[in-house]
C-alpha cells in the first residue's frame, strides 16, 4: 500500500495568505488527504480546526523557527497541529556543508534539537536544498556525511528536485540513505538550473517512477516552489499522476 500523499502548503502560500480556509478547502477538493504546513505557530488551533473539518491530516510540518531562540513554544504549536514530525527546512548556512567540521557542527545542532523535541513527543527531521548535495567528499555528498552523524531518531525529508539540482543521482542517493529517509518532496521541472519554474509532477525531467521505487515506504509530499501555470491545477495533475503511478 502506498504511503499517504500530501501537499507542502508553501506551494499555495499566496492563496493561504489571501484566504486560508478556502485554500485548504481546494486542497481537499482535489483529493489530497494530508498536508505539511510551513509555519506551525500561525494560529495552530484555528488551523487544526479547519483541517479536521475537511478530513485532512497534518503528516509533518516544516519548522524553520526551531532555529530561532527558544524552541519550546514551537514544539507546543506542533503538538496542537497533531503531528509528531518537525522538520528543519533551512536556516543552517550553506558553508557548513562544505567542510567536515561544518557538517559535524550541523549534526550536533540537529541532535540537540532532536533531544529537546523528544521531550515533547516529537521527532526531528531535516530537509535538504541543493547546497547539501553540491559538496562531495570522496564520492559522497555532504548530506550523506551528515546522515551518518545524526542520532538514530533524526530522519531525512529528501527534496528530490533540489537533490538533482545539487548533482545527485536521486534514486541511487535514496537507496544509499535507506531507512533514514522518512519523507520525500516529490517535485518536477526541467532540472537544469535553480531558477526555472517547476512543473506538475510527471510533466518534467525528473525520473519520478524510479525515485518513488527507491524509497517505497517514505511519505510522498508534493511541492512546487514556483510554477508558470495555476498552482492548484498543477497540484491536481500531480496528484493524478502519482496516484495512478503507485496504483499500477
Amino acid at each position: 500500500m502506498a504511503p499517504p500523499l500530501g501537499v507542502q502548503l508553501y506551494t499555495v502560500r499566496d492563496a493561504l495568505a489571501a484566504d486560508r480556509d478556502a485554500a485548504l478547502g481546494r486542497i481537499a477538493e482535489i483529493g489530497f488527504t494530508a498536508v505539511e504546513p510551513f509555519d506551525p505557530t500561525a494560529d495552530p488551533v484555528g488551523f487544526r480546526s479547519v483541517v479536521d473539518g475537511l478530513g485532512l491530516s497534518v503528516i509533518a510540518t516544516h519548522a524553520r523557527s526551531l532555529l530561532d531562540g527558544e524552541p519550546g513554544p514551537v514544539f507546543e504549536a506542533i503538538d496542537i497541529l497533531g503531528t509528531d514530525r518537525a522538520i528543519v527546512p533551512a536556516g543552517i548556512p550553506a558553508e557548513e556543508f562544505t567542510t567536515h567540521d561544518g557538517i559535524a557542527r550541523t549534526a550536533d545542532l540537529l541532535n540537540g534539537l532532536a533531544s529537546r523535541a523528544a521531550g515533547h513527543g516529537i521527532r526531528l527531521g531535516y530537509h535538504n536544498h541543493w547546497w547539501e548535495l553540491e559538496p562531495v567528499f570522496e564520492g559522497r555528498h555532504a548530506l550523506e556525511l551528515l546522515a551518518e552523524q545524526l542520532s538514530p531518531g533524526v530522519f531525512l525529508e529528501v527534496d528530490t528536485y533540489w537533490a538533482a539540482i545539487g548533482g545527485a543521482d536521486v534514486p541511487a542517493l535514496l537507496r544509499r540513505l535507506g531507512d533514514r529517509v522518512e519523507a520525500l518532496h516529490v517535485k518536477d521541472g526541467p532540472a537544469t538550473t535553480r531558477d526555472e519554474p517547476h512543473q506538475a509532477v510527471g510533466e518534467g525531467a525528473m525520473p519520478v517512477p524510479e525515485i518513488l521505487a527507491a524509497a517505497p515506504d517514505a511519505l510522498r509530499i508534493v511541492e512546487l516552489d514556483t510554477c508558470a501555470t495555476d498552482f492548484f491545477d498543477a497540484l491536481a495533475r500531480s496528484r493524478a499522476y502519482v496516484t495512478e503511478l503507485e496504483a499500477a
Side-chain angles (χ1 to χ4, degrees), residues 97-127:
F97 296 92
T98 62
T99 67
H100 287 281
D101 287 346
I103 292 169
R105 284 192 295 270
T106 299
D108 288 344
L109 172 62
L110 294 173
N111 290 338
L113 276 175
S115 180
R116 295 285 300 274
H120 294 264
I122 293 170
R123 300 175 55 243
L124 193 81
Y126 183 74
H127 170 94

Side-chain angles (χ1 to χ4, degrees), residues 89-94 97-98 126 128-135 142 162 166:
I92 297 171
F97 296 92
T98 62
Y126 183 74
N128 66 279
H129 287 77
W130 61 85
W131 54 81
E132 301 93 339
L133 282 302
E134 284 182 343
W162 291 132

Side-chain angles (χ1 to χ4, degrees), residues 6-247:
V7 177
Q8 165 50 246
L9 293 178
Y10 184 76
T11 303
V12 294
R13 55 199 177 275
D14 292 338
L16 285 170
D19 189 332
R20 180 194 67 187
D21 297 4
L24 291 170
R26 291 193 67 182
I27 294 292
E29 288 171 5
I30 288 170
F32 287 100
T33 58
V35 293
E36 182 184 55
F38 58 90
D39 182 3
T41 61
D43 186 22
V45 173
F47 184 93
R48 175 70 182 275
S49 176
V50 174
V51 296
D52 282 354
L54 292 169
L56 297 169
S57 64
V58 178
I59 53 173
T61 182
H62 281 190
R64 165 68 177 79
S65 52
L66 286 173
L67 300 176
D68 301 327
E70 171 55 46
V74 184
F75 289 133
E76 291 169 8
I78 291 168
D79 183 62
I80 291 170
L81 292 179
T83 182
D84 66 349
R85 298 183 182 95
I87 299 168
V88 175
I92 297 171
E95 293 77 15
E96 290 289 77
F97 296 92
T98 62
T99 67
H100 287 281
D101 287 346
I103 292 169
R105 284 192 295 270
T106 299
D108 288 344
L109 172 62
L110 294 173
N111 290 338
L113 276 175
S115 180
R116 295 285 300 274
H120 294 264
I122 293 170
R123 300 175 55 243
L124 193 81
Y126 183 74
H127 170 94
N128 66 279
H129 287 77
W130 61 85
W131 54 81
E132 301 93 339
L133 282 302
E134 284 182 343
V136 176
F137 301 82
E138 297 179 351
R140 295 190 299 162
H141 298 282
L143 184 66
E144 296 178 79
L145 273 64
L146 175 66
E148 291 180 350
Q149 298 178 54
L150 293 174
S151 299
V154 182
F155 65 92
L156 296 177
E157 177 182 71
V158 174
D159 187 307
T160 59
Y161 193 81
W162 291 132
I165 292 293
D169 176 331
V170 181
L173 173 71
L174 294 173
R175 288 191 291 269
R176 291 195 300 272
L177 291 171
D179 293 342
R180 180 69 76 171
V181 180
E182 194 164 307
L184 301 176
H185 268 199
V186 184
K187 303 163 77 166
D188 212 341
T192 52
T193 69
R194 300 173 189 168
D195 300 326
E196 293 171 294
H198 296 169
Q199 297 169 263
V201 178
E203 298 178 11
M206 294 293 289
V208 179
E210 292 83 359
I211 286 170
L212 299 184
D217 299 323
L219 299 173
R220 281 83 159 96
I221 301 169
V222 174
E223 182 185 34
L224 295 93
D225 295 32
T226 59
C227 187
T229 63
D230 180 81
F231 280 98
F232 287 102
D233 288 346
L235 283 175
R237 297 197 304 275
S238 297
R239 180 188 175 277
Y241 174 80
V242 176
T243 300
E244 182 176 356
L245 183 64
E246 301 226 275

